[in-house]
Amino acid sequence: VQLQACGGGLVQAGGSLRLSCVASGTIARINDMGWYRQAPGSQRELVASTTSGASTKYADSVKGRFTISRDSAKNSVYLQMNSLKPEDTAVYYCAADVRSSWFGKSNYYWGQGTLVTVSS
């Protein structure tokens, strides 16, 4: 299973970006999908996640500004980021809990990361 993320870039404070991530490979079912970020010198943190039932969870720092969504038919997850702040600058990683067979256990996979830079 591979996760391919895209959509990062340079944006001014107050601007918007939309990240996309698609999972490919041998996939029977995707459970949770999410976005994490890691700023220089900081630990990786959860930004937002969504379950297969479309329940969502957000970090307090992004509530009201970021929206996570998924398209299960396309094995994809998205992160709409509005009102971006310089402190949102980080490498953003998508992740997914994937079951490759209906009778096997699931594994957690990570995308390669996409850089988001917010200038002040």
Side-chain angles (χ1 to χ4, degrees):
V1 175
Q2 292 184 327
L3 273 66
Q4 182 70 40
C6 63
L10 174 64
V11 64
Q12 288 188 332
S16 298
L17 282 174
R18 185 174 188 252
L19 305 183
S20 300
C21 176
V22 59
S24 62
T26 304
I27 298 171
R29 176 186 172 88
I30 301 178
N31 299 315
D32 292 2
M33 301 187 82
W35 290 94
Y36 293 74
R37 68 186 180 187
Q38 186 167 20
S42 299
Q43 291 187 330
R44 190 173 297 189
E45 63 174 354
L46 175 68
V47 176
S49 64
T50 178
T51 68
S52 57
S55 296
T56 58
K57 181 169 62 177
Y58 295 92
D60 288 343
S61 59
V62 307
K63 283 180 181 177
R65 300 188 298 121
F66 291 11
T67 303
I68 189 170
S69 61
R70 66 189 285 174
D71 184 334
S72 295
K74 296 181 179 180
N75 293 331
S76 296
V77 64
Y78 310 96
L79 187 68
Q80 178 65 43
M81 305 185 293
N82 299 328
S83 302
L84 282 160
K85 304 175 180 180
E87 51 263 44
D88 294 318
T89 295
V91 177
Y92 284 70
Y93 299 89
C94 62
D97 183 34
V98 179
R99 183 178 294 178
S100 293
S101 68
W102 289 106
F103 304 103
K105 67 177 182 68
S106 62
N107 292 290
Y108 214 67
Y109 295 90
W110 293 89
Q112 85 284 7
T114 184
L115 177 63
V116 172
T117 303
V118 185
S119 63
S120 57

